[in-house]
Amino acid sequence: MGKVVFVTGYKAYELGIYDQKHKGIPYIKKAIKNRLQDMLEQDLEWVLITGQPGVELWAANVVFDLQEEFPELKLGVLLPFLNQEENWKEGVKEQYEEVLLQADYVEAISKKPYEGPWQLKLRNQFLVDKSDQMLILYEEEKDGSPKYSWMEAKKKQEKSNYPIIQITFWDLESLIEEEQWQDY
């Protein structure tokens, strides 16, 4: 495995999550935490995200929790462009700003506000290029924003050893069932 993982996945609304108290969020975080803990045993040092609401911000919270036990773990937030949060709802903006304050590294890939889709393409290329592996909550059958990061990672995987660790809806269902059985 590698020292740097790019973590991404669906935005909250793509999962039908419109509230930070949604009962599915703890399961998504647990799935991310389980995968990151496995990677920490393999010398993981950095988690990279772009700060998108949903899987990426939840992953940041998981990293902050893991840093209590693994203080050497670092979070890098590489924004696709300046002011990406400009049109987000207030609660999401607050969560995003908290993540930026706690992150070990924050930088914008494009030093301009949003101009076009080329900045998102550049973001995907940059993060896949700068990481050793990807952790993604994504299913090819359910279209959504992670598709483009997924396709970029697949290109790199064809040329080199680039592990793509996927969290699927089946993985989440299994986690939920496992927890429910433990409650009996």
Side-chain angles (χ1 to χ4, degrees):
M1 291 296 196
K3 295 184 181 298
V4 181
V5 63
F6 170 28
V7 179
T8 193
Y10 294 104
K11 294 176 182 159
Y13 72 85
E14 292 174 311
L15 295 168
I17 297 174
Y18 300 97
D19 176 359
Q20 287 307 308
K21 293 177 176 71
H22 191 280
K23 62 183 181 185
I25 295 172
Y27 295 106
I28 293 169
K29 285 181 170 182
K30 183 165 183 158
I32 293 168
K33 184 177 184 177
N34 290 345
R35 300 310 191 293
L36 290 179
Q37 283 177 313
D38 291 344
M39 292 176 196
L40 281 162
E41 292 173 14
Q42 307 289 324
D43 296 329
L44 178 67
E45 293 177 4
W46 279 90
V47 172
L48 302 180
I49 62 169
T50 68
Q52 288 291 310
V55 170
E56 292 191 20
L57 290 183
W58 300 325
N61 295 134
V62 169
V63 170
F64 299 144
D65 289 344
L66 285 169
Q67 284 175 332
E68 292 174 22
E69 187 180 344
F70 302 93
E72 68 281 1
L73 181 62
K74 305 278 188 258
L75 177 69
V77 184
L78 298 166
L79 317 173
F81 47 84
L82 297 175
N83 305 321
Q84 76 168 335
E85 76 287 1
E86 201 167 51
N87 298 318
W88 297 353
K89 290 189 168 126
E90 205 50 48
V92 176
K93 276 187 189 180
E94 288 170 20
Q95 184 187 15
Y96 173 74
E97 288 163 6
E98 283 177 32
V99 166
L100 294 185
L101 286 172
Q102 292 181 67
D104 298 286
Y105 182 80
V106 177
E107 188 65 59
I109 297 166
S110 170
K111 309 290 188 230
K112 305 172 182 180
Y114 183 76
E115 291 182 349
W118 66 269
Q119 289 163 304
L120 301 174
K121 184 173 175 49
L122 180 66
R123 168 202 67 192
N124 293 331
Q125 291 170 338
F126 187 85
L127 281 152
V128 168
D129 186 48
K130 295 297 179 194
S131 60
D132 303 311
Q133 58 193 323
M134 173 186 271
L135 173 59
I136 185 169
L137 172 56
Y138 177 67
E139 293 211 10
E140 290 176 87
E141 297 78 38
K142 183 181 181 340
D143 203 20
S145 58
K147 170 176 139 181
Y148 303 100
S149 299
W150 171 263
M151 291 181 346
E152 194 63 40
K154 285 297 215 182
K155 279 195 253 177
K156 183 173 179 177
Q157 191 179 53
E158 288 171 13
K159 297 177 189 164
S160 64
N161 179 24
Y162 186 76
I164 301 171
I165 298 95
Q166 188 175 3
I167 298 171
T168 65
F169 296 120
W170 186 87
D171 294 327
L172 295 175
E173 294 269 332
S174 297
L175 200 56
I176 291 166
E177 287 176 19
E178 187 180 305
E179 297 252 330
Q180 288 172 343
W181 275 107
Q182 289 176 358
D183 290 343
Y184 280 111

